[in-house]
């Protein structure tokens, strides 16, 4: 029976630590850290996510600015807004909420963000610095997973780690961080993906499985070994007959995996809250690097 890696509790701890730090900053007569977000269009999930970030800022004592832009926004208009935030003296970090409406080149937008304000950690400069084990803003979800492993003292040194999925937001950075020097880290990492035949051949031998592919209940209990650590990054809306009309499902089949794993992250309440907390952490880091 697995022990839960509780993202709700851990994220609250982190936010409380940040809140205390912000209090010290403001009591010394300095301004509070400032996070801005640009939301383009009317994507429901994006709106909910950005609103939760504004709430997090309020909770920890940050200044926050939310810039809403219509679905019809052009690439040029968005780039002009990014330029303003890059040059804004008291904005420490900002995010452009993805996905963006059709007709806007996501790569161009990410590349336009000043890497010193890129608290999402998506800019190629930050990604490259992370890969070279230099100081960088880590993408919030992988950063959150590393923090969970660290705070629960999950042993990763020399362990066989399998990452399912190779996205630039989770899979690829996770593979880099888990194999980096340090604690957590120092693992031997294999990345499997949609073109990997017989994925279970890899997962059955893994001490740690990080599932980040976006297919509900993909990882079954029979695909892992006894005592494996299961980190479930997936979160998919699955339609059902409940009043809400859906429930949230992870990439791991929780019941069968929990019976065999030593540690497991639930969905919801595992990796998700950690992502939000680490965005606050990155903003605090950006503030200190700029002041």
């Amino acid at each position: 029976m697995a022990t839960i890696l509780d993202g709700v509790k851990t994220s609250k701890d982190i936010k409380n630590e940040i809140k205390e730090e912000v209090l010290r900053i403001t009591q010394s007569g300095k301004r509070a850290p400032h996070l801005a977000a640009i939301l383009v269009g009317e994507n429901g999930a994006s709106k909910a996510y950005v609103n939760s970030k504004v709430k997090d800022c309020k909770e920890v004592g940050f200044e926050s600015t939310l810039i809403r832009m219509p679905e019809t926004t052009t690439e040029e208009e968005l780039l002009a807004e990014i330029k303003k935030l890059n040059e804004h003296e008291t904005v420490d970090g900002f995010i452009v909420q993805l996905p963006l409406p059709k007709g806007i080149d996501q790569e161009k937008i990410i590349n336009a963000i000043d890497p010193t304000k890129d608290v999402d950690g998506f800019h190629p400069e930050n990604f490259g610095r992370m890969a070279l084990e230099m100081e960088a803003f880590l993408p919030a979800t992988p950063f959150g997973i590393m923090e969970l492993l660290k705070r629960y003292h999950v042993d990763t040194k020399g362990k066989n780690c399998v990452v399912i999925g190779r996205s630039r937001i989770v899979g690829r950075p996770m593979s880099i961080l888990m194999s980096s020097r340090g604690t957590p880290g120092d693992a031997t990492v294999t990345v499997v993906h949609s073109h990997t035949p017989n994925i279970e051949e890899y997962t059955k031998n893994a001490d740690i499985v990080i599932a980040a592919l976006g297919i509900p209940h993909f990882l079954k209990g029979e695909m892992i070994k006894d005592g494996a650590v299961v980190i479930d990054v997936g979160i998919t809306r699955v339609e059902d007959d409940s009043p809400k009309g859906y429930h949230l499902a992870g990439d791991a089949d929780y019941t069968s995996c929990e019976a065999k794993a030593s540690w497991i992250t639930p969905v919801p309440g595992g990796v998700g809250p950690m992502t939000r907390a680490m965005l606050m952490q990155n903003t605090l880091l950006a503030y200190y690097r700029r002041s």
Side-chain angles (χ1 to χ4, degrees):
M1 193 75 163
T3 304
I4 287 174
L5 293 163
D6 189 341
V8 174
K9 182 196 174 296
T10 311
S11 66
K12 273 185 187 157
D13 291 344
I14 291 165
K15 286 195 279 190
N16 282 334
E17 289 160 19
I18 294 169
K19 188 178 179 177
E20 284 171 19
E21 191 61 32
V22 173
L23 202 56
R24 276 196 290 274
I25 290 167
T26 53
Q27 282 176 344
S28 72
K30 294 175 184 166
R31 66 172 182 85
H34 185 171
L35 174 68
I38 300 177
L39 177 63
V40 187
E42 297 297 320
N43 181 300
S46 291
K47 278 161 92 170
Y49 194 48
V50 166
N51 287 336
S52 68
K53 287 168 184 173
V54 171
K55 187 170 153 261
D56 289 338
C57 283
K58 195 174 180 184
E59 217 176 294
V60 300
F62 285 179
E63 288 286 324
S64 72
T65 301
L66 174 54
I67 297 156
R68 293 176 183 271
M69 301 182 80
E71 191 82 27
T72 51
T73 299
T74 65
E75 193 173 270
E76 288 69 32
E77 286 167 340
L78 181 52
L79 287 167
E81 206 58 56
I82 288 168
K83 187 171 185 286
K84 278 187 212 165
L85 290 178
N86 282 340
E87 293 167 359
H88 198 299
E89 280 187 18
T90 64
V91 168
D92 300 296
F94 68 94
I95 60 152
V96 178
Q97 185 62 40
L98 305 177
L100 292 165
K102 287 192 178 90
I104 297 179
D105 183 344
Q106 188 173 297
E107 294 301 316
K108 208 179 206 177
I109 297 308
I110 290 169
N111 284 331
I113 297 168
D114 178 348
T116 68
K117 294 190 176 191
D118 168 41
V119 287
D120 257 340
F122 294 161
H123 192 283
E125 185 176 311
N126 278 314
F127 203 98
R129 291 179 70 87
M130 172 187 67
L132 294 168
E133 298 184 33
M134 295 164 73
E135 188 180 78
F137 291 117
L138 304 181
T141 299
F143 192 7
I145 293 167
M146 296 301 277
E147 196 64 25
L148 259 185
L149 293 170
K150 181 173 149 189
R151 288 181 182 236
Y152 277 91
H153 307 289
V154 176
D155 187 17
T156 59
K157 191 174 185 177
K159 300 295 182 188
N160 180 3
C161 173
V162 170
V163 179
I164 311 174
R166 54 180 171 178
S167 78
R168 60 193 283 178
I169 293 171
V170 181
R172 213 173 284 274
M174 266 330 299
S175 68
I176 292 167
L177 293 169
M178 288 298 285
S179 61
S180 294
R181 281 180 283 263
T183 305
D186 286 327
T188 302
V189 182
T190 305
V191 178
V192 298
H193 46 77
S194 56
H195 293 285
T196 306
N198 305 320
I199 283 176
E200 63 274 14
E201 283 182 15
Y202 297 90
T203 55
K204 276 178 181 169
N205 293 313
D207 302 305
I208 302 164
V209 181
I210 299 169
L213 73 168
I215 300 173
H217 310 305
F218 175 85
L219 185 72
K220 304 285 193 289
E222 66 262 23
M223 294 169 69
I224 64 168
K225 70 178 187 181
D226 284 326
V229 177
V230 176
I231 305 292
D232 189 348
V233 187
I235 187 153
T236 307
R237 285 187 179 197
V238 178
E239 289 180 15
D240 61 20
D241 297 327
S242 70
K244 263 201 308 192
Y246 69 90
H247 65 274
L248 297 174
D251 287 354
D253 180 61
Y254 189 81
T255 308
S256 63
C257 286
E258 188 206 17
K260 286 177 84 175
S262 57
W263 298 92
I264 192 167
T265 59
V267 174
V271 173
M274 292 300 295
T275 300
R276 286 169 53 185
M278 299 330 278
L279 182 70
M280 300 297 110
Q281 188 69 52
N282 272 345
T283 304
L284 186 60
L285 289 170
Y287 172 86
Y288 278 131
R289 286 174 194 170
R290 288 171 50 75
S291 57

